[in-house]
Amino acid sequence: MSKLQVQPVARKVTAISWLPPRAGTAYTDTDLYFVTGSGAKHKELVLWTTPNPDFAQSEPDSTNDLATVVSKVPHNGDVQGIIALSPGLLATASSTGIISVYNVGTESGSMEFGESVTAHKFSNGEVAGATSLAVQPTGALDVEVASCGEDGRIAFTALSRLKESQGYDVDSTVITDLCWTTPTQLAITTRGGQIKIFDRRMPSEILAAFANSQSSQALESIAVHPSQPFRLATGTAGGSVLVWDIRDMRQPIIEELTVHEANVWQVRFDPADSTRVISCSEDASIAVTQWATEGRGAVALGVAPPERGVRRLSSMFNALSINCFDVCPSTRTHLLVAGSDSGNLLMEKTVNPDFKLF
Amino acid sequence: MQNRHTGTDRFVVSRDKEAVTHLSPGLFPAGRQSEWSAQNRTLIFSIHPLNNKTALAVGGKKTRESLGNDTLTFDQDQRVHICGISTESDSRLAFINDTHAVFVALQQLMEEADVDDSTASAVGIKGLVKMSVLYREAMQRQSRVLADIGDPNEFIKEEAETFQAMHAVWHLLEIIYLTTNTPGLSTSIVPHFMEWLNANFPAPLAEDAHRIAGGSPTADDLARNELLWPYLKKLALRGHVSVLGNMLERLAPSQLLSASAARWARSLSQLCRKMPLSSSEETAGSFNSRWRQWNEELRGHATAIGSLLGGAGEKDESAGGDKDKALETLFAISEVMRGDLDAIAAEGEIWQDIMGATLLYSEPTAQADRLPALVGAIIEQFEESAFTELDRALVALLNHDLAEFLVHCDHIDHWLSAHISDLMDHISVLDICRRVFVVDPREHYLMALGESYLGHEDLWRVGLDYLGLCRTVAGALVMEEYVTRIPLDSDRKAEQVLRVCEVYKLDCARDRIHRQLGRQKWQRGRLGAAIAHFAQVCDHDSIGLICDQIWNAYISSGELTYGPTIDGVMASSSLSEGSGSLLHHERLQFLSKYRDFHELYAAGDFVEAGKVLLSILLCEIAPAYALGDLLVDSIPLLEGDTLVFSSEDTFELMRVAESLAQAHMKQSQQDGAIDRSEMNIFNVACTRNLARSFVMF
């Protein structure tokens, strides 16, 4: 079990996101920036900076902090999700059902609240927590953010017309996470243990719904393969990670990886090597799992899976749930930051030998 | 700490409904009780069920005359104040989280050691030392954080003192019960004790050394320095003999010293370097003989300097104090180092000093069991009333009086008493003092600590772990009570609370939380999620009620929109272990089949639709109030072009209709009855269908 470096920050870290590099400085930034969101007593967004390990002059001193605070800004409700839309723009989802936009200036070290909209509400008027948000991968200037919530609705919010958020009731339980599989299609996971696929153009109609017939557990998180939109990874409440191949909509192929002991709060395909799935869990660990051995692809359900490695990351000083993580997309060193309920920032730096810039 | 909220917060302020209260915005000024009652004012409050906060509002009682007839309505309170004493400062958050992680790891380690008996003691002691060091590192980190705060206020200063005290106590316990307590090794406690003394009560300070050595480059400067003599004595007292040797050697060439003082300084410096140090390779006998030899030499020095001092004192009374001072100091040093108890007592400022020097120079091979006798003799010389809690705790620990030790630890800090009693339990020394306490001390202190964390929004999980890891019945009971009171703010938090119940096997609490969540979802109109929660605890009554609500909504609107709700439930039904119980819930099955019927009917598959409808009626899963509607639904199938129902099926339909009619006849009230005319149409349709079925089959 590998060890994560730990920095106590005295607040529950519930969401985390690297800021994309500024245009023209990608791969040459000496300082990297990321944003954390926290909940419970300290509801706020914090902008952090950490030196780019690719340009480290010497071995980092273990007594130094992993990252330093650049600025803080209060947040309305617990931060449930952060999406960095550009180096200067963030969108957040809150436990009060609000989608907010923040402006970030890494050079001036500032972070300011822009505007917000209440996207999620129960039918009796109580606020419903938003559980996640995802930005439509169109590359257009006026991007649209999809969010999901405890009210079983997905809401589409265009950043230029924030107040015109549209909501659609699509599930009777809680929608736990969502992701865009293509620019027009998105997938959600539900507490009822289903994946549902929607078309943005007909958002109130469910294109397809899948459940794991072997052991149907609540699904907590979802991610899409970076280059194969039919391949999804989901984290379950029981601690396993499922890799789905949904090309055959009637009978998806599922590979189950039992990697954790409790709820998998977030799952991602590793941006550096998409044959690996990274997941973090309530059991206070992060797992990097080789879901498919090179060239063999996913294995049909029921067939003995090939040997695969699971690398577990944890820290003795972090006993509680790891809520979120993000992998820096623009460094040669594999740089992963995570946040936990024990009030810690966790970091892992591993030099990735396969990474080739050109 | 006081937060002001406009309107009511999540607390419900209980109020006396008969004495109607009114409040105008703003705070009433503070006043005496008599003034308040003269103005019909009072305070209304409610205590938070989980933490130590209170919701307070000022209420004014209206006189009965001024009330209208609508005595049940009253003005909403304009302002509610949430008052609370924060027991846990945020400055401690990192420390609490760190040590919680160590605590959890320690429990796991001991559990693993317990499972495998053969390695228990080996894993135990090694692991415990490691964990103990981790605890101390966390305390030291916190001390450093507190020391780094510029412009500290009273609270920060107190915290810094508390952490130093906690570290001192912990470190001494570690030395006595872990470091020198390795089975099969008879280790002397002296070097460890000196290390503890110098680490926790630093003297002479490093700054003193810099000031003296740095400001005095030559031997003469050194001899002139007023601070030098007490510093040298302190060095001797604390056992820094090599530093003392170097200082004396540097001092010796000074012209300001008398020839005899210089000679003795040199001689003492050499003696300092020769001080025997015990090592594990050497036998106790060989060390003792070396020690005796060294001690004899010192004794000779002390006597010689003493006689010189006696003679010089008479001769050079007019020569000034400097030379005398040098000789006096050398005499005091040699007296201390030869282990003269009076000299040590005269030089030591605090009892820890005397204890250290006595151990080092008088009993260099002492073991932990020698400590009570020594400490008893030493603290007699001190006024016990001037002792701090730290002193008392340390003395109790040295006396092996563990019950008293724990009580003093608790006075220092709750964190300390909880963790130290846990550690003592793991090294099996807590049993010695268990009978002194009415309740189990480990359980008591851990529970007290856990409860103090529960009210903190960030620490509820940590608090629950402390309650759960008590591993006692009382701990589990208290935990069960608390866990159901944790506010379930979000879906994720609810999952986390349920997970705690699963880990600590709190089945009762789990059921209560599911019911609570079910009701919460029901109120919010999330019927599917509500059913899923009720299904987890097999609450058939609530599921039945929700199904009725869904059916009624369908009847009143005429639109069958509950499909997704049922689907969600069906998908989630297999989440629960008792999934079968949910799927077999009649009402739910009825709704599901009825939806299937509608879908088939809409798709034009009348035969299948008829089969589904008939199966609903035959299985008797439909509630009585829905039977009439089902029969009406069958009319288009009976009257349709294709023959859907066979003669047997038609008889079944007629049987249901007949039993329904009889039930209605028995009831005096006919409010739930179906329309008579619809019934007639049904009867006619049945007859015609029957006739058709005879012809067709």
Short mmCIF file of all heavy atoms in Angstrom, two decimals, chain A residues 10 12 40-42 122-124 126 150-152 171-174 191-192 216-218 262-263 282 316 320 341-342, chain B residues 90 93 97 100-101 134 457-458 460-461 490-492 495-496 499 521 523-524 526 529 564-565 568 571-572 574-575:
data_model
loop_
_atom_site.label_atom_id
_atom_site.label_comp_id
_atom_site.label_asym_id
_atom_site.label_seq_id
_atom_site.Cartn_x
_atom_site.Cartn_y
_atom_site.Cartn_z
N ALA A 10 -7.66 21.47 8.15
CA ALA A 10 -8.66 21.78 9.17
C ALA A 10 -10.04 22.11 8.61
O ALA A 10 -10.75 22.94 9.14
CB ALA A 10 -8.18 22.91 10.07
N LYS A 12 -13.29 19.99 6.14
CA LYS A 12 -13.64 18.82 5.32
C LYS A 12 -13.56 19.20 3.86
O LYS A 12 -14.24 20.12 3.43
CB LYS A 12 -15.07 18.40 5.63
CG LYS A 12 -15.20 17.72 6.95
CD LYS A 12 -16.54 17.06 7.09
CE LYS A 12 -16.56 16.30 8.40
NZ LYS A 12 -17.64 15.37 8.51
N ALA A 40 -19.52 21.30 5.71
CA ALA A 40 -19.75 21.26 7.16
C ALA A 40 -19.52 22.65 7.75
O ALA A 40 -20.18 23.59 7.34
CB ALA A 40 -18.91 20.20 7.83
N LYS A 41 -18.56 22.80 8.66
CA LYS A 41 -18.45 24.09 9.36
C LYS A 41 -17.88 25.20 8.47
O LYS A 41 -18.30 26.34 8.54
CB LYS A 41 -17.57 23.93 10.59
CG LYS A 41 -17.66 25.13 11.49
CD LYS A 41 -17.09 24.88 12.84
CE LYS A 41 -17.23 26.14 13.67
NZ LYS A 41 -16.51 26.04 14.92
N HIS A 42 -16.90 24.84 7.65
CA HIS A 42 -16.27 25.86 6.81
C HIS A 42 -16.73 25.64 5.37
O HIS A 42 -16.14 24.84 4.65
CB HIS A 42 -14.76 25.77 6.88
CG HIS A 42 -14.23 25.87 8.27
ND1 HIS A 42 -14.08 24.79 9.08
CD2 HIS A 42 -13.87 26.94 9.01
CE1 HIS A 42 -13.64 25.17 10.25
NE2 HIS A 42 -13.50 26.47 10.24
N PHE A 122 -37.03 20.50 -3.96
CA PHE A 122 -38.05 19.47 -3.84
C PHE A 122 -39.42 20.06 -4.16
O PHE A 122 -39.59 21.28 -4.12
CB PHE A 122 -38.06 18.88 -2.43
CG PHE A 122 -36.85 18.05 -2.13
CD1 PHE A 122 -35.91 18.47 -1.21
CD2 PHE A 122 -36.66 16.84 -2.78
CE1 PHE A 122 -34.79 17.70 -0.95
CE2 PHE A 122 -35.55 16.07 -2.52
CZ PHE A 122 -34.61 16.50 -1.60
N SER A 123 -40.37 19.16 -4.40
CA SER A 123 -41.69 19.67 -4.79
C SER A 123 -42.38 20.41 -3.64
O SER A 123 -43.27 21.21 -3.85
CB SER A 123 -42.56 18.52 -5.28
OG SER A 123 -42.57 17.50 -4.32
N ASN A 124 -41.95 20.15 -2.40
CA ASN A 124 -42.56 20.89 -1.29
C ASN A 124 -41.84 22.19 -1.00
O ASN A 124 -42.10 22.85 0.01
CB ASN A 124 -42.61 20.01 -0.03
CG ASN A 124 -41.23 19.72 0.53
OD1 ASN A 124 -40.22 20.01 -0.12
ND2 ASN A 124 -41.18 19.20 1.74
N GLU A 126 -38.64 22.71 -0.30
CA GLU A 126 -37.37 22.61 0.42
C GLU A 126 -36.23 22.56 -0.58
O GLU A 126 -36.39 22.05 -1.69
CB GLU A 126 -37.32 21.33 1.25
CG GLU A 126 -38.01 21.44 2.59
CD GLU A 126 -37.82 20.16 3.39
OE1 GLU A 126 -36.67 19.78 3.65
OE2 GLU A 126 -38.83 19.54 3.74
N GLU A 150 -30.54 15.71 -5.48
CA GLU A 150 -31.28 14.78 -4.64
C GLU A 150 -32.78 14.81 -4.97
O GLU A 150 -33.54 13.99 -4.49
CB GLU A 150 -31.08 15.14 -3.17
CG GLU A 150 -29.66 14.88 -2.71
CD GLU A 150 -29.43 15.29 -1.27
OE1 GLU A 150 -30.39 15.36 -0.50
OE2 GLU A 150 -28.27 15.54 -0.92
N ASP A 151 -33.19 15.80 -5.76
CA ASP A 151 -34.60 15.88 -6.15
C ASP A 151 -34.89 15.01 -7.38
O ASP A 151 -35.99 15.05 -7.91
CB ASP A 151 -34.99 17.33 -6.43
CG ASP A 151 -34.09 17.97 -7.48
OD1 ASP A 151 -33.09 17.34 -7.85
OD2 ASP A 151 -34.39 19.09 -7.91
N GLY A 152 -33.90 14.25 -7.84
CA GLY A 152 -34.11 13.36 -8.98
C GLY A 152 -34.19 14.09 -10.30
O GLY A 152 -34.71 13.57 -11.27
N ASP A 171 -35.78 10.78 -12.33
CA ASP A 171 -35.61 9.60 -11.47
C ASP A 171 -36.36 9.80 -10.16
O ASP A 171 -36.53 10.92 -9.69
CB ASP A 171 -34.13 9.36 -11.19
CG ASP A 171 -33.88 8.00 -10.59
OD1 ASP A 171 -34.00 7.01 -11.33
OD2 ASP A 171 -33.64 7.91 -9.39
N SER A 172 -36.82 8.67 -9.63
CA SER A 172 -37.59 8.79 -8.39
C SER A 172 -36.72 8.70 -7.16
O SER A 172 -37.17 8.93 -6.05
CB SER A 172 -38.65 7.69 -8.35
OG SER A 172 -38.01 6.44 -8.25
N THR A 173 -35.46 8.32 -7.31
CA THR A 173 -34.56 8.28 -6.15
C THR A 173 -33.62 9.48 -6.24
O THR A 173 -34.00 10.52 -6.75
CB THR A 173 -33.78 6.95 -6.12
OG1 THR A 173 -33.04 6.83 -7.31
CG2 THR A 173 -34.71 5.77 -5.99
N VAL A 174 -32.41 9.32 -5.78
CA VAL A 174 -31.44 10.41 -5.82
C VAL A 174 -30.50 10.17 -7.00
O VAL A 174 -30.07 9.04 -7.23
CB VAL A 174 -30.61 10.41 -4.51
CG1 VAL A 174 -29.49 11.41 -4.58
CG2 VAL A 174 -31.52 10.69 -3.33
N ARG A 191 -29.30 6.32 -6.99
CA ARG A 191 -29.26 5.56 -5.76
C ARG A 191 -30.02 4.24 -5.94
O ARG A 191 -29.82 3.30 -5.20
CB ARG A 191 -29.84 6.43 -4.63
CG ARG A 191 -29.89 5.79 -3.38
CD ARG A 191 -29.05 6.26 -2.17
NE ARG A 191 -28.07 7.29 -2.18
CZ ARG A 191 -26.76 7.05 -2.27
NH1 ARG A 191 -26.30 5.84 -2.40
NH2 ARG A 191 -25.92 8.03 -2.21
N GLY A 192 -30.88 4.20 -6.95
CA GLY A 192 -31.60 2.98 -7.26
C GLY A 192 -30.75 1.95 -8.00
O GLY A 192 -31.25 0.90 -8.36
N SER A 216 -27.16 -5.78 -7.66
CA SER A 216 -27.59 -4.41 -7.89
C SER A 216 -27.37 -3.59 -6.64
O SER A 216 -28.01 -3.80 -5.62
CB SER A 216 -29.06 -4.41 -8.29
OG SER A 216 -29.49 -3.09 -8.40
N GLN A 217 -26.43 -2.70 -6.72
CA GLN A 217 -26.15 -1.82 -5.58
C GLN A 217 -26.32 -0.38 -6.04
O GLN A 217 -26.24 -0.10 -7.23
CB GLN A 217 -24.71 -2.00 -5.14
CG GLN A 217 -24.49 -3.29 -4.38
CD GLN A 217 -23.09 -3.35 -3.85
OE1 GLN A 217 -22.15 -3.03 -4.56
NE2 GLN A 217 -22.95 -3.75 -2.60
N ALA A 218 -26.51 0.49 -5.07
CA ALA A 218 -26.62 1.90 -5.42
C ALA A 218 -25.33 2.34 -6.10
O ALA A 218 -24.24 1.93 -5.72
CB ALA A 218 -26.84 2.72 -4.16
N ALA A 262 -16.07 0.31 0.96
CA ALA A 262 -17.26 1.14 1.21
C ALA A 262 -17.50 2.03 0.00
O ALA A 262 -16.76 1.93 -1.00
CB ALA A 262 -17.05 1.96 2.46
N ASN A 263 -18.50 2.89 0.12
CA ASN A 263 -18.95 3.73 -0.99
C ASN A 263 -17.80 4.35 -1.79
O ASN A 263 -16.91 4.96 -1.22
CB ASN A 263 -19.80 4.89 -0.45
CG ASN A 263 -20.85 4.43 0.50
OD1 ASN A 263 -20.54 3.77 1.49
ND2 ASN A 263 -22.10 4.73 0.24
N GLU A 282 -15.08 5.91 0.77
CA GLU A 282 -15.38 6.11 2.18
C GLU A 282 -14.38 5.35 3.07
O GLU A 282 -14.17 5.71 4.22
CB GLU A 282 -16.81 5.62 2.43
CG GLU A 282 -17.32 5.67 3.85
CD GLU A 282 -17.65 7.06 4.34
OE1 GLU A 282 -17.88 7.95 3.51
OE2 GLU A 282 -17.67 7.27 5.57
N MET A 316 -1.64 6.92 6.91
CA MET A 316 -1.94 6.61 8.31
C MET A 316 -2.64 7.78 9.00
O MET A 316 -3.36 7.60 9.96
CB MET A 316 -0.63 6.34 9.01
CG MET A 316 -0.66 5.10 9.80
SD MET A 316 0.37 5.20 11.19
CE MET A 316 -0.84 5.43 12.43
N LEU A 320 -10.51 8.99 7.74
CA LEU A 320 -11.88 9.12 7.25
C LEU A 320 -11.94 9.21 5.72
O LEU A 320 -10.92 9.34 5.05
CB LEU A 320 -12.54 10.34 7.89
CG LEU A 320 -12.65 10.32 9.41
CD1 LEU A 320 -13.37 11.56 9.90
CD2 LEU A 320 -13.38 9.08 9.89
N ASP A 341 -12.49 13.78 4.58
CA ASP A 341 -13.28 14.20 5.73
C ASP A 341 -12.43 14.43 6.97
O ASP A 341 -12.86 15.06 7.92
CB ASP A 341 -14.33 13.12 6.06
CG ASP A 341 -15.64 13.37 5.36
OD1 ASP A 341 -15.74 14.41 4.68
OD2 ASP A 341 -16.56 12.55 5.48
N SER A 342 -11.23 13.87 6.99
CA SER A 342 -10.33 14.10 8.13
C SER A 342 -9.70 15.49 8.04
O SER A 342 -8.82 15.81 8.83
CB SER A 342 -9.21 13.06 8.15
OG SER A 342 -9.68 11.86 8.67
N ASP B 90 -11.34 25.45 16.75
CA ASP B 90 -10.96 25.04 15.40
C ASP B 90 -9.45 24.88 15.27
O ASP B 90 -8.97 24.18 14.39
CB ASP B 90 -11.46 26.06 14.38
CG ASP B 90 -12.94 25.88 14.15
OD1 ASP B 90 -13.50 24.91 14.68
OD2 ASP B 90 -13.53 26.72 13.45
N LEU B 93 -8.43 21.32 15.23
CA LEU B 93 -9.01 20.36 14.28
C LEU B 93 -7.99 19.40 13.69
O LEU B 93 -8.21 18.19 13.67
CB LEU B 93 -9.71 21.12 13.14
CG LEU B 93 -11.15 21.52 13.40
CD1 LEU B 93 -11.70 22.25 12.19
CD2 LEU B 93 -11.99 20.30 13.69
N ASN B 97 -7.94 15.35 14.25
CA ASN B 97 -8.02 14.42 13.12
C ASN B 97 -6.80 13.51 13.06
O ASN B 97 -6.92 12.31 12.81
CB ASN B 97 -8.16 15.19 11.81
CG ASN B 97 -9.61 15.60 11.57
OD1 ASN B 97 -10.52 14.82 11.80
ND2 ASN B 97 -9.81 16.82 11.14
N HIS B 100 -6.96 11.05 15.92
CA HIS B 100 -8.05 10.10 15.68
C HIS B 100 -7.57 8.99 14.76
O HIS B 100 -7.83 7.80 14.98
CB HIS B 100 -9.25 10.83 15.08
CG HIS B 100 -10.25 9.92 14.44
ND1 HIS B 100 -10.42 9.85 13.08
CD2 HIS B 100 -11.12 9.03 14.96
CE1 HIS B 100 -11.35 8.96 12.80
NE2 HIS B 100 -11.79 8.44 13.92
N ALA B 101 -6.81 9.39 13.72
CA ALA B 101 -6.28 8.39 12.79
C ALA B 101 -5.34 7.43 13.51
O ALA B 101 -5.40 6.21 13.30
CB ALA B 101 -5.54 9.09 11.65
N LEU B 134 3.85 8.39 17.60
CA LEU B 134 3.00 9.15 16.67
C LEU B 134 2.12 10.14 17.42
O LEU B 134 1.93 11.28 17.00
CB LEU B 134 2.14 8.20 15.85
CG LEU B 134 2.88 7.41 14.78
CD1 LEU B 134 1.95 6.40 14.13
CD2 LEU B 134 3.43 8.36 13.72
N GLU B 457 -19.61 20.20 13.73
CA GLU B 457 -20.06 19.75 12.40
C GLU B 457 -19.01 18.91 11.67
O GLU B 457 -19.33 18.02 10.90
CB GLU B 457 -20.39 20.96 11.52
CG GLU B 457 -21.70 21.61 11.88
CD GLU B 457 -21.86 22.91 11.15
OE1 GLU B 457 -21.40 23.95 11.69
OE2 GLU B 457 -22.41 22.91 10.06
N ASP B 458 -17.73 19.24 11.91
CA ASP B 458 -16.67 18.53 11.19
C ASP B 458 -16.27 17.24 11.89
O ASP B 458 -15.59 16.41 11.31
CB ASP B 458 -15.42 19.42 11.08
CG ASP B 458 -15.57 20.46 10.01
OD1 ASP B 458 -16.67 20.55 9.45
OD2 ASP B 458 -14.60 21.19 9.73
N TRP B 460 -18.28 14.97 13.83
CA TRP B 460 -19.26 13.99 14.29
C TRP B 460 -18.79 12.56 14.04
O TRP B 460 -18.98 11.67 14.87
CB TRP B 460 -20.62 14.23 13.64
CG TRP B 460 -20.64 14.08 12.16
CD1 TRP B 460 -20.40 15.05 11.24
CD2 TRP B 460 -20.88 12.89 11.41
NE1 TRP B 460 -20.47 14.54 9.99
CE2 TRP B 460 -20.78 13.21 10.05
CE3 TRP B 460 -21.18 11.58 11.76
CZ2 TRP B 460 -20.95 12.29 9.04
CZ3 TRP B 460 -21.36 10.65 10.75
CH2 TRP B 460 -21.24 11.01 9.40
N ARG B 461 -18.11 12.35 12.92
CA ARG B 461 -17.66 11.00 12.58
C ARG B 461 -16.55 10.56 13.54
O ARG B 461 -16.50 9.41 13.96
CB ARG B 461 -17.16 11.04 11.13
CG ARG B 461 -16.72 9.74 10.58
CD ARG B 461 -17.91 8.86 10.28
NE ARG B 461 -17.47 7.62 9.67
CZ ARG B 461 -16.90 6.62 10.29
NH1 ARG B 461 -16.67 6.72 11.59
NH2 ARG B 461 -16.52 5.53 9.66
N SER B 490 -27.57 15.84 3.97
CA SER B 490 -27.49 15.52 2.55
C SER B 490 -27.53 14.02 2.37
O SER B 490 -27.38 13.26 3.32
CB SER B 490 -26.21 16.09 1.96
OG SER B 490 -25.10 15.40 2.50
N ASP B 491 -27.73 13.64 1.14
CA ASP B 491 -27.80 12.22 0.79
C ASP B 491 -26.50 11.53 1.16
O ASP B 491 -26.49 10.43 1.72
CB ASP B 491 -28.04 12.14 -0.72
CG ASP B 491 -28.09 10.71 -1.20
OD1 ASP B 491 -28.94 9.97 -0.69
OD2 ASP B 491 -27.30 10.35 -2.07
N ARG B 492 -25.38 12.20 0.90
CA ARG B 492 -24.09 11.59 1.17
C ARG B 492 -23.88 11.41 2.67
O ARG B 492 -23.40 10.38 3.12
CB ARG B 492 -22.96 12.43 0.59
CG ARG B 492 -21.61 11.79 0.79
CD ARG B 492 -20.52 12.57 0.13
NE ARG B 492 -20.46 12.34 -1.30
CZ ARG B 492 -19.39 12.59 -2.04
NH1 ARG B 492 -18.31 13.04 -1.50
NH2 ARG B 492 -19.40 12.39 -3.34
N GLU B 495 -25.77 8.50 3.83
CA GLU B 495 -25.05 7.27 3.50
C GLU B 495 -23.93 7.01 4.50
O GLU B 495 -23.69 5.88 4.91
CB GLU B 495 -24.44 7.39 2.09
CG GLU B 495 -25.40 7.09 0.98
CD GLU B 495 -25.78 5.62 0.94
OE1 GLU B 495 -24.89 4.78 0.89
OE2 GLU B 495 -26.99 5.34 1.00
N GLN B 496 -23.24 8.09 4.87
CA GLN B 496 -22.12 7.94 5.79
C GLN B 496 -22.60 7.49 7.17
O GLN B 496 -21.99 6.64 7.81
CB GLN B 496 -21.34 9.25 5.90
CG GLN B 496 -20.56 9.55 4.63
CD GLN B 496 -19.78 10.84 4.71
OE1 GLN B 496 -20.29 11.84 5.20
NE2 GLN B 496 -18.56 10.84 4.23
N ARG B 499 -23.48 3.97 7.02
CA ARG B 499 -22.25 3.16 6.97
C ARG B 499 -21.69 2.97 8.39
O ARG B 499 -21.23 1.89 8.74
CB ARG B 499 -21.25 3.86 6.06
CG ARG B 499 -19.83 3.49 6.26
CD ARG B 499 -19.32 2.53 5.20
NE ARG B 499 -17.94 2.20 5.50
CZ ARG B 499 -17.45 0.98 5.50
NH1 ARG B 499 -18.22 -0.02 5.19
NH2 ARG B 499 -16.21 0.75 5.79
N LYS B 521 -38.15 11.86 2.84
CA LYS B 521 -38.35 11.81 1.39
C LYS B 521 -39.84 11.91 1.05
O LYS B 521 -40.22 12.54 0.07
CB LYS B 521 -37.80 10.51 0.81
CG LYS B 521 -36.35 10.26 1.12
CD LYS B 521 -35.44 10.91 0.11
CE LYS B 521 -34.00 10.60 0.45
NZ LYS B 521 -33.05 11.44 -0.17
N GLN B 523 -42.16 13.44 2.73
CA GLN B 523 -42.55 14.85 2.87
C GLN B 523 -42.13 15.67 1.67
O GLN B 523 -42.81 16.60 1.25
CB GLN B 523 -41.86 15.45 4.09
CG GLN B 523 -42.69 15.38 5.34
CD GLN B 523 -41.88 15.82 6.54
OE1 GLN B 523 -40.80 16.38 6.39
NE2 GLN B 523 -42.39 15.55 7.72
N ARG B 524 -40.98 15.32 1.14
CA ARG B 524 -40.45 16.11 0.03
C ARG B 524 -41.00 15.66 -1.31
O ARG B 524 -40.55 16.11 -2.36
CB ARG B 524 -38.92 15.99 0.00
CG ARG B 524 -38.28 16.70 1.15
CD ARG B 524 -36.82 16.37 1.24
NE ARG B 524 -36.17 17.22 2.23
CZ ARG B 524 -34.91 17.08 2.59
NH1 ARG B 524 -34.17 16.14 2.06
NH2 ARG B 524 -34.39 17.88 3.49
N ARG B 526 -40.65 12.72 -2.70
CA ARG B 526 -39.83 11.73 -3.39
C ARG B 526 -40.33 10.34 -3.00
O ARG B 526 -39.73 9.65 -2.16
CB ARG B 526 -38.35 11.87 -3.01
CG ARG B 526 -37.80 13.27 -3.14
CD ARG B 526 -37.82 13.79 -4.53
NE ARG B 526 -37.10 12.91 -5.44
CZ ARG B 526 -37.37 12.80 -6.73
NH1 ARG B 526 -38.35 13.48 -7.26
NH2 ARG B 526 -36.66 12.00 -7.48
N ALA B 529 -38.01 7.14 -3.53
CA ALA B 529 -36.93 7.04 -2.55
C ALA B 529 -37.48 6.68 -1.18
O ALA B 529 -36.88 5.91 -0.43
CB ALA B 529 -36.17 8.37 -2.49
N PRO B 564 -42.09 5.86 -13.50
CA PRO B 564 -40.69 5.99 -13.11
C PRO B 564 -40.48 5.72 -11.61
O PRO B 564 -39.47 5.15 -11.22
CB PRO B 564 -40.37 7.45 -13.44
CG PRO B 564 -41.38 7.85 -14.44
CD PRO B 564 -42.60 7.06 -14.16
N THR B 565 -41.45 6.14 -10.80
CA THR B 565 -41.31 5.93 -9.36
C THR B 565 -41.19 4.44 -9.07
O THR B 565 -40.29 3.99 -8.36
CB THR B 565 -42.55 6.49 -8.63
OG1 THR B 565 -42.77 7.80 -9.07
CG2 THR B 565 -42.38 6.44 -7.13
N GLY B 568 -37.89 2.96 -10.32
CA GLY B 568 -36.77 3.27 -9.43
C GLY B 568 -36.76 2.34 -8.24
O GLY B 568 -35.72 1.84 -7.82
N ALA B 571 -35.77 -1.18 -9.17
CA ALA B 571 -34.33 -1.31 -9.38
C ALA B 571 -33.60 -1.31 -8.04
O ALA B 571 -32.65 -2.04 -7.85
CB ALA B 571 -33.83 -0.17 -10.25
N SER B 572 -34.06 -0.46 -7.13
CA SER B 572 -33.35 -0.35 -5.87
C SER B 572 -33.75 -1.43 -4.89
O SER B 572 -33.11 -1.61 -3.87
CB SER B 572 -33.59 1.01 -5.24
OG SER B 572 -34.95 1.11 -4.88
N SER B 574 -33.48 -4.51 -4.94
CA SER B 574 -32.51 -5.56 -4.68
C SER B 574 -31.33 -5.05 -3.86
O SER B 574 -30.42 -5.80 -3.57
CB SER B 574 -32.05 -6.16 -5.99
OG SER B 574 -31.80 -5.13 -6.90
N LEU B 575 -31.34 -3.76 -3.53
CA LEU B 575 -30.27 -3.24 -2.68
C LEU B 575 -30.32 -3.85 -1.30
O LEU B 575 -29.32 -4.10 -0.66
CB LEU B 575 -30.41 -1.73 -2.52
CG LEU B 575 -30.18 -0.87 -3.73
CD1 LEU B 575 -30.38 0.57 -3.37
CD2 LEU B 575 -28.77 -1.09 -4.22
#
